[in-house]
Amino acid sequence: MEKSDGCSAHLIDGDGTFNDTGLEQLIKEVKLGECGLSYAIVSIMGPQSSGKSTLLNHLFGTNFREMDAFKGRHVPFIFRSQTTKGIWLARCAGIEPCTLVMDLEGTDGRERGEDDTAFEKQSALFALAVSDIVLINMWCHDIGREQAANKPLLKTVFQVMMRLFSPRKTTLMFVIRDKTRTPLENLEPVLREDIQKIWDSVPKPEAHKETPLSDFFNVEVVALSSYEEKEEQFKDQVASLRQRFFHSIAPGGLAGDRRGVVPASGFSFSAQEIWKVIKENKDLDLPAHKVMVATVRCEEIANEKYGSFVANEVQALKKWCQMEEAVESGPVSGFGKKLSAILNISLSEYDAEAIYFDEGVRLAKRKQLEEKLLQLVQPAHQSMLSHIRSGTLEKFKEAFDKALNAGDGFSLAAQTCTQSYMAQFDEWHADAVIEQANWDTSKARDKLRRDIDAHIASVRAAKLSELTSSFEAKLNEALSGPVEALLDGANSETWAAIKKLLRHETALAVAGFSDAIFGFDMDGQSKEKLIASLENYARGVVEAKAREESGRVLIRMKDRFSTLFSHDSDSMPRIWTGKEDIRAITKTARSASLKLLSVMVAIRLDDDVDNIETTLSSALMDTKNNAAVKDRSIITLDPLASSSWEKIPSSRTLITPVQCKSLWRQFKTETEYTVTQAISAQEAHKRNNNWLPPPWAIAALVVLGFNEFMTLLRNPLYLGVIFVGFLLIKALWVQLDISGEFRNGALPGLLSLSSKFLPTIMNLLKRLAEEGQKPATADSQRNTAKSFQNGSSPLSDSSSPSSSSASSGVISPENGTECSNNSKDD
């Protein structure tokens, strides 16, 4: 096997061995794998020693060898001999797109003999199978001859191509060598007539009996002058012909309408497989060849029908495109029948074209085509089922809602609507069944039933939730306010009243709720569960309100203490006159507050009995017993030194014993000020109303001052002196504002008076001196005597604030009443 030489390779040697290594190397050198579909294959066939290699070398710039039979020297046409063995492949220099040219071994060579024409047929068939353009090199003087070279070969190739390969629309370019003086216009019709006769004589299947040659081949005819006699003219003609190979695969080019092009990256494998098939079937009529042809052709027919179906190329199949678009947006009436008819069109066309091929292969490919078509339309069928299912579900929902709004029972409405619309789905589903398909569509029906059941369950849950929420709201409104009011006025009967209220409201709610859920046709267990949930909610409302109020127990206790302590039995504010028993009132108010605390320490909705009130009373109110306990030598445990109550579980405990003790201590501390204020007010009232000395002091004054009293009676002048002294002292009292100075305390008052005493004395003396300098008249004496009688000091200035204060009397700080200091004559 020869290796590649430069940009050429000996593709198939004379023994028919395929040079895959050389081909791969050539493909790498010319970078054919990167070309995609932008490449062309050109081949040349013709009689031996007809100058094929010479033509290729001048036309494409290749390096095919031309040798003589003796010394290997280039001596054209001196001695004709076989120079090309097998098939050579090379790249055409300077032609775009990438073009590869094959030089085939000449036909009718003496070396292979007259009978050994198998390789000639195989190579020719190979060239037609892989080439886009086939150059047929022939002598001008062979035109019109019945047994001219290439005619038997073309006849065999046409017949085999018809059965084995799909039409590639190969371009056959007949190159007439050594053109004579006969014009090409006269030669070309003769040549075309010969080719048409060969085509018409080839037996064809029914599908191609009337198919013209032009459907399989493009026939081109060119003529070249003699290379030996008119070399320059030959080269000019070849250069002109070369221009036609530029962009040969473009529309309008030599191979512009080629078909079935293999991508460049797969050319090597494709060529090997084609040669393998050709090589292994020397006798082209073998059964294996028939099966192979049937396999390839039936698959091509099936692919063609599938492509036509997808592309909607046939007028009858365009309905599929319309149905496919329509089913995307909604259900299509008669979907199953219409689509079955469209599928039957494609399958019947396949049967008509593949009827002459092997039955087993034909039926197998038909089955594959049917499966591919069904696979193609299955998404549309699934969309149709989805539309039917969703549409049925929506209609069910609408009908179900109308039935419920009309007042039908929930269970009856659900059952009736479900049966009706499941039957409707079955009817619509039957209209969408495809005749050729055997798909299991039960999943769509099952899914619809699950969706309906899920919707019924969700509506049931929503309705029950709505009913439950409604009755819970009514319970909350009926219990929250009354329970809060009962706990606010807590007494021994509070929890009994709360239990009675709870039972009553719960019974009403349960009765109404039971009537409301009657139409849901619920089993007894589910119904009892919902009722129990409602009862638990009612109890939870009471417990939550109790816990909420227990958090404000200290405020409640102080409010109750303040109400009872500061108001009498007629709810009138107390005036502490000194006659009230503050100790008894305090004890009563604290006892009431302790009662409130004992009610709030635990939830008592059950019929259990506890001793919490007694325990709290003995531990917090019985001070005598507490003092006695402290005096004992035996240590007694504190009943409140615990975190739980006896007979009360922790779940129903609101305030623990330890917390009660802490709350009571805080309560006493915060109410102590109120008691102290009451005591102070009572003592102040006593002081203000008791200005006389005690009786014993009065008796002592009478006994001990009898002599002085008698002395005053015997000397009335002393009375005047005492009276004047009283007036002076009172004036000094008013000037110094002694009562006001001592409001802030004794020490600050003394310090302030010590600083004001001397200036005040000096001011009084100064005013007395001024009064003494004025002429004493009878009127002034009478006015002075009158002023003494009215209790005002003649030493005071009537315009000064002090004198005004002295004449206005003294105001009691306790009750705000004015106490007059006017003296009476004895």
Side-chain angles (χ1 to χ4, degrees):
M1 182 183 300
E2 299 185 36
K3 304 296 181 182
S4 63
D5 182 16
C7 286
S8 64
H10 198 178
L11 184 63
I12 300 173
D13 62 14
D15 298 328
T17 304
F18 196 93
N19 184 10
D20 52 350
T21 304
L23 179 58
E24 291 291 342
Q25 184 175 352
L26 175 63
I27 289 175
K28 289 181 179 179
E29 289 178 359
V30 301
K31 298 181 180 180
L32 184 65
E34 302 175 3
C35 295
L37 298 179
S38 183
Y39 74 102
I41 304 295
V42 180
S43 61
I44 186 169
M45 63 176 65
Q48 175 188 334
S49 302
S50 60
K52 298 190 303 299
S53 299
T54 301
L55 175 61
L56 294 180
N57 290 339
H58 285 84
L59 183 60
F60 299 117
T62 54
N63 190 24
F64 294 119
R65 291 170 294 178
E66 305 169 81
M67 301 177 64
D68 62 24
F70 300 138
K71 298 181 181 179
R73 293 180 291 106
H74 182 191
V75 187
F77 299 101
I78 294 178
F79 187 84
R80 294 179 182 268
S81 175
Q82 184 184 39
T83 56
T84 300
K85 294 182 179 181
I87 300 175
W88 282 81
L89 181 68
R91 178 178 180 177
C92 302
I95 294 181
E96 294 295 335
C98 179
T99 302
L100 300 180
V101 60
M102 290 192 303
D103 186 9
L104 275 66
E105 179 179 321
T107 60
D108 196 24
R110 66 184 179 83
E111 286 83 357
R112 291 191 180 270
E114 296 181 0
D115 298 328
D116 192 5
T117 60
F119 184 81
E120 295 176 0
K121 295 178 181 179
Q122 291 171 355
S123 59
L125 184 58
F126 177 77
L128 288 171
V130 301
S131 299
D132 302 305
I133 304 171
V134 178
L135 302 178
I136 299 178
N137 198 49
M138 61 186 304
W139 301 111
C140 181
H141 53 75
D142 286 336
I143 297 176
R145 296 178 182 179
E146 184 64 27
Q147 298 298 327
N150 295 313
K151 284 188 179 181
L153 176 61
L154 282 177
K155 185 173 183 180
T156 302
V157 169
F158 285 164
Q159 185 175 1
V160 172
M161 274 290 293
M162 187 65 64
R163 295 182 179 180
L164 183 59
F165 298 106
S166 61
R168 287 176 47 85
K169 201 64 179 294
T170 307
T171 298
L172 296 180
M173 177 174 282
F174 290 87
V175 182
I176 301 174
R177 302 291 298 276
D178 295 353
K179 184 176 77 68
T180 60
R181 295 181 179 179
T182 305
L184 180 62
E185 290 78 7
N186 297 336
L187 294 174
E188 183 175 351
V190 177
L191 179 61
R192 288 185 179 275
E193 182 179 355
D194 292 342
I195 297 171
Q196 187 64 44
K197 287 180 180 179
I198 296 173
W199 174 257
D200 294 338
S201 65
V202 172
K204 307 178 187 65
E206 288 293 331
H208 297 291
K209 278 188 175 182
E210 303 299 330
T211 303
L213 175 67
S214 58
D215 284 0
F216 284 83
F217 299 101
N218 291 323
V219 178
E220 297 282 343
V221 180
V222 296
L224 299 176
S225 300
S226 173
Y227 177 67
E228 290 83 3
E229 298 176 0
K230 301 177 181 180
E231 182 176 356
E232 293 300 326
Q233 188 176 358
F234 172 82
K235 291 181 179 180
D236 293 339
Q237 292 171 349
V238 168
S240 176
L241 178 60
R242 174 183 171 87
Q243 295 301 317
R244 300 186 64 183
F245 287 90
F246 281 87
H247 305 291
S248 59
I249 62 174
L254 285 176
D257 55 352
R258 63 178 181 169
R259 303 170 189 169
V261 182
V262 177
S265 59
F267 174 75
S268 175
F269 176 77
S270 175
Q272 292 180 57
E273 291 299 314
I274 291 174
W275 179 250
K276 181 179 178 181
V277 172
I278 295 173
K279 184 66 176 175
E280 291 177 354
N281 294 275
K282 293 182 178 180
D283 188 353
L284 298 177
D285 294 328
L286 292 175
H289 172 73
K290 181 180 179 181
V291 172
M292 182 192 69
V293 172
T295 301
V296 174
R297 186 60 187 140
C298 288
E299 185 169 357
E300 289 179 349
I301 294 173
N303 291 337
E304 179 184 351
K305 300 309 170 188
Y306 180 80
S308 298
F309 187 90
V310 174
N312 301 288
E313 295 176 352
V314 182
Q315 183 66 28
L317 300 180
K318 290 186 178 180
K319 295 181 180 179
W320 156 243
C321 181
Q322 299 172 359
M323 290 179 61
E324 188 179 23
E325 293 176 356
V327 81
E328 291 180 359
S329 57
V332 177
S333 178
F335 178 85
K337 293 181 180 179
K338 293 178 180 178
L339 188 54
S340 298
I342 295 174
L343 292 174
N344 280 331
I345 293 174
S346 295
L347 294 175
S348 61
E349 289 180 354
Y350 169 85
D351 293 336
E353 294 188 27
I355 190 171
Y356 296 105
F357 293 99
D358 182 79
E359 183 179 3
V361 175
R362 184 179 75 245
L363 294 179
K365 296 301 180 181
R366 187 186 193 279
K367 183 65 176 177
Q368 293 179 5
L369 173 61
E370 185 179 31
E371 291 176 353
K372 288 178 65 177
L373 291 175
L374 289 176
Q375 186 177 5
L376 177 66
V377 303
Q378 189 174 20
H381 182 258
Q382 292 295 333
S383 298
M384 183 66 184
L385 290 182
S386 178
H387 289 313
I388 294 174
R389 179 180 55 78
S390 60
T392 305
L393 181 62
E394 291 301 321
K395 291 184 179 297
F396 166 81
K397 291 179 179 179
E398 293 176 3
F400 187 46
D401 290 341
K402 289 181 180 179
L404 292 178
N405 294 333
D408 295 348
F410 185 90
S411 298
L412 179 61
Q415 183 178 1
T416 303
C417 292
T418 299
Q419 293 176 352
S420 174
Y421 283 93
M422 287 304 297
Q424 185 71 56
F425 173 81
D426 293 337
E427 180 181 346
W428 289 343
H429 172 261
D431 186 59
V433 172
I434 299 176
E435 180 182 324
Q436 294 83 0
N438 190 24
W439 295 324
D440 181 13
T441 57
S442 60
K443 292 182 179 180
R445 192 180 194 279
D446 295 341
K447 185 173 184 353
L448 173 62
R449 185 56 188 262
R450 289 195 302 270
D451 291 342
I452 289 177
D453 292 341
H455 179 70
I456 292 173
S458 65
V459 173
R460 177 186 284 109
K463 293 290 185 182
L464 291 176
S465 177
E466 183 180 348
L467 286 173
T468 303
S469 299
S470 175
F471 280 92
E472 285 178 352
K474 292 179 181 179
L475 279 173
N476 187 60
E477 182 179 358
L479 292 174
S480 294
V483 169
E484 182 176 354
L486 289 172
L487 292 175
D488 186 28
N491 53 48
S492 301
E493 300 300 324
T494 296
W495 282 109
I498 292 176
K499 285 191 288 184
K500 183 178 179 180
L501 174 67
L502 175 61
R503 292 192 187 102
H504 178 262
E505 296 297 337
T506 302
L508 289 177
V510 167
F513 185 72
S514 299
D515 294 339
I517 65 175
F518 177 77
F520 287 88
D521 195 19
M522 301 177 63
D523 58 275
Q525 184 177 0
S526 300
K527 184 176 181 180
E528 290 176 0
K529 185 177 180 181
L530 289 175
I531 292 175
S533 175
L534 190 63
E535 292 174 345
N536 292 334
Y537 177 81
R539 186 184 180 98
V541 170
V542 174
E543 291 182 355
K545 181 56 66 176
R547 294 184 187 278
E548 180 183 348
E549 292 299 317
S550 67
R552 298 196 290 263
V553 65
L554 182 59
I555 298 174
R556 299 287 191 193
M557 290 170 64
K558 292 192 294 184
D559 290 344
R560 177 169 291 192
F561 177 84
S562 177
T563 300
L564 295 177
F565 186 80
S566 302
H567 296 77
D568 56 17
S569 58
D570 296 328
S571 298
M572 298 297 293
R574 294 184 188 273
I575 298 177
W576 304 105
T577 62
K579 299 178 181 180
E580 297 82 11
D581 187 355
I582 293 180
R583 182 182 299 275
I585 294 173
T586 302
K587 185 174 182 180
T588 301
R590 285 180 176 174
S591 297
S593 299
L594 185 63
K595 171 69 71 174
L596 174 63
L597 178 62
S598 65
V599 171
M600 298 297 297
V601 295
I603 298 172
R604 299 181 180 89
L605 293 177
D606 300 323
D607 296 331
D608 298 338
V609 180
D610 58 71
N611 58 350
I612 293 177
E613 184 176 355
T614 305
T615 302
L616 288 175
S617 179
S618 62
L620 301 177
M621 291 295 296
D622 198 350
T623 54
K624 293 182 179 180
N625 292 339
N626 292 341
V629 169
K630 292 180 181 179
D631 293 339
R632 294 175 188 170
S633 58
I634 301 175
I635 300 176
T636 304
L637 293 176
D638 186 353
L640 298 182
S642 175
S643 60
S644 61
W645 296 101
E646 186 179 357
K647 300 180 181 180
I648 300 294
S650 58
S651 60
R652 292 195 289 116
T653 300
L654 300 178
I655 305 173
T656 63
V658 174
Q659 291 173 338
C660 286
K661 190 172 183 178
S662 176
L663 284 171
W664 187 254
R665 186 183 301 111
Q666 186 176 355
F667 166 74
K668 289 182 66 177
T669 301
E670 294 183 9
T671 57
E672 198 71 37
Y673 178 75
T674 303
V675 178
T676 304
Q677 286 291 97
I679 294 173
S680 300
Q682 198 176 57
E683 291 177 354
H685 189 274
K686 289 180 180 179
R687 286 196 301 269
N688 291 335
N689 294 327
N690 192 15
W691 56 274
L692 294 176
W696 63 269
I698 296 175
L701 287 174
V702 172
V703 173
L704 298 176
F706 181 75
N707 294 331
E708 288 76 4
F709 181 70
M710 294 305 294
T711 303
L712 290 174
L713 290 178
R714 294 189 186 99
N715 299 291
L717 184 60
Y718 289 155
L719 293 175
V721 174
I722 292 172
F723 182 68
V724 172
F726 170 74
L727 293 177
L728 291 173
I729 293 172
K730 185 173 182 181
L732 187 62
W733 181 281
V734 172
Q735 288 290 327
L736 293 175
D737 191 16
I738 294 175
S739 59
E741 295 294 343
F742 280 96
R743 288 173 185 169
N744 297 326
L747 183 58
L750 291 174
L751 294 175
S752 178
L753 290 175
S754 63
S755 61
K756 294 167 60 178
F757 182 75
L758 185 58
T760 302
I761 294 295
M762 295 300 294
N763 187 26
L764 290 176
L765 294 176
K766 181 179 180 182
R767 289 186 180 183
L768 288 174
E770 291 175 354
E771 288 294 331
Q773 293 177 0
K774 291 181 180 180
T777 62
D779 293 337
S780 64
Q781 291 177 357
R782 285 195 297 269
N783 290 336
T784 301
K786 186 176 181 180
S787 64
F788 275 115
Q789 291 175 0
N790 292 331
S792 59
S793 173
L795 304 178
S796 302
D797 189 358
S798 60
S799 62
S800 65
S802 299
S803 62
S804 176
S805 301
S807 63
S808 63
V810 181
I811 298 175
S812 174
E814 287 81 2
N815 50 23
T817 59
E818 183 177 353
C819 301
S820 177
N821 292 321
N822 296 335
S823 61
K824 297 181 180 180
D825 295 338
D826 292 334

